[in-house]
Amino acid sequence: MNNNTVITISRQYGSGGRELSNILAKKLGIKLYDRQIINLAAEQLGIQDMDFDKMKKLEEAIPPLSLKFMPFYVFGMNGAKPINNKMFEAESKVVKQLSEDGSCIILGRCADYILRDREDCLKVFLYADEETKENRIQEIYGEAGLKLKNRVKDMDVRRGLNYKYFTGQDWGKAQNYDMALNRGSLGVEKCAQLIVEAALGE
């Protein structure tokens, strides 16, 4: 492995991004950062005493767009920033710091965009067919039928809007990543193997 290898995992809801990240962390012997990033960012903002679920909702919330809307990535916003914009800014600082501290895997958090200029960053997008995603979510949450289908669709829409708002880029677009892997056809172990090979330069 290179002296410092950073892997970012972006994923569709239900594709198993957290499962894949845990497998990679064990195979490569490097740290995995996920929800810790929220807590570290909240600490920077002085809101670490807030309930985690509330912080998660705060992170995912997107203000209604208006005629005066300007994407956050421009970094030229006038007046007070909405709290979720401040959260993203704090998370960006945390992600950059963690990537400088050593080899690691970063799940979500728009990390592929935040670290887009790093040559040692392997950017991965994980996706799957609807049946695979729905089956996994049914196993995890016990949901079925229309409620399950709506949950999967809604979460992917939210992730796409969140990514677009904070980065100005299209979520899941192949050009934004080094690898796009289909968990449905490849399976999680094969996906992990391909990522390890790419990370090690094999």
Side-chain angles (χ1 to χ4, degrees), residues 20 28-29 31 54 68 90 95 123 128 150 152 154-155 168 179-180 185 193 195 199:
L20 173 64
L28 295 170
K31 294 181 178 179
K54 290 182 179 179
K68 296 181 179 179
V95 166
K123 300 178 289 295
N150 287 340
V152 173
D154 180 65
M155 288 300 295
M179 302 178 72
S185 61
Q193 177 185 338
I195 295 170

Side-chain angles (χ1 to χ4, degrees), residues 35-120:
R35 295 186 173 185
Q36 307 96 314
I37 297 173
I38 300 177
N39 291 324
L40 290 169
E43 185 176 344
Q44 285 189 16
L45 296 174
I47 58 173
Q48 65 269 30
D49 294 333
M50 183 184 292
D51 176 80
F52 181 82
D53 289 337
K54 290 182 179 179
M55 287 194 293
K56 189 74 170 65
K57 290 180 179 179
L58 176 65
E59 176 197 43
E60 296 174 345
I62 301 173
L65 305 187
S66 69
L67 294 176
K68 296 181 179 179
F69 167 73
M70 180 177 290
F72 181 71
Y73 68 92
V74 175
F75 291 97
M77 299 177 66
N78 296 320
K81 297 177 183 177
I83 185 63
N84 62 321
N85 289 67
K86 293 179 181 179
M87 190 71 170
F88 177 76
E89 188 174 55
E91 286 188 358
S92 297
K93 292 179 181 178
V94 170
V95 166
K96 289 179 180 179
Q97 183 59 57
L98 293 174
S99 69
E100 292 172 359
D101 289 343
S103 296
C104 62
I105 298 163
I106 300 176
L107 180 61
R109 316 273 104 75
C110 300
D112 59 281
Y113 177 82
I114 295 168
L115 302 178
R116 63 193 181 282
D117 295 327
R118 288 190 68 111
E119 295 182 357
D120 60 359

Side-chain angles (χ1 to χ4, degrees), residues 16 32 34 56 73 80 106 112 118 128 132 163 171 174 197:
L32 164 61
D34 179 14
K56 189 74 170 65
Y73 68 92
I106 300 176
D112 59 281
R118 288 190 68 111
T132 296
Y163 189 86
W171 181 69
E197 291 174 356

Side-chain angles (χ1 to χ4, degrees), residues 161-176:
L161 290 173
N162 183 281
Y163 189 86
K164 183 73 171 182
Y165 177 76
F166 288 116
T167 72
Q169 304 292 318
D170 292 327
W171 181 69
K173 190 174 183 179
Q175 292 91 323
N176 294 332

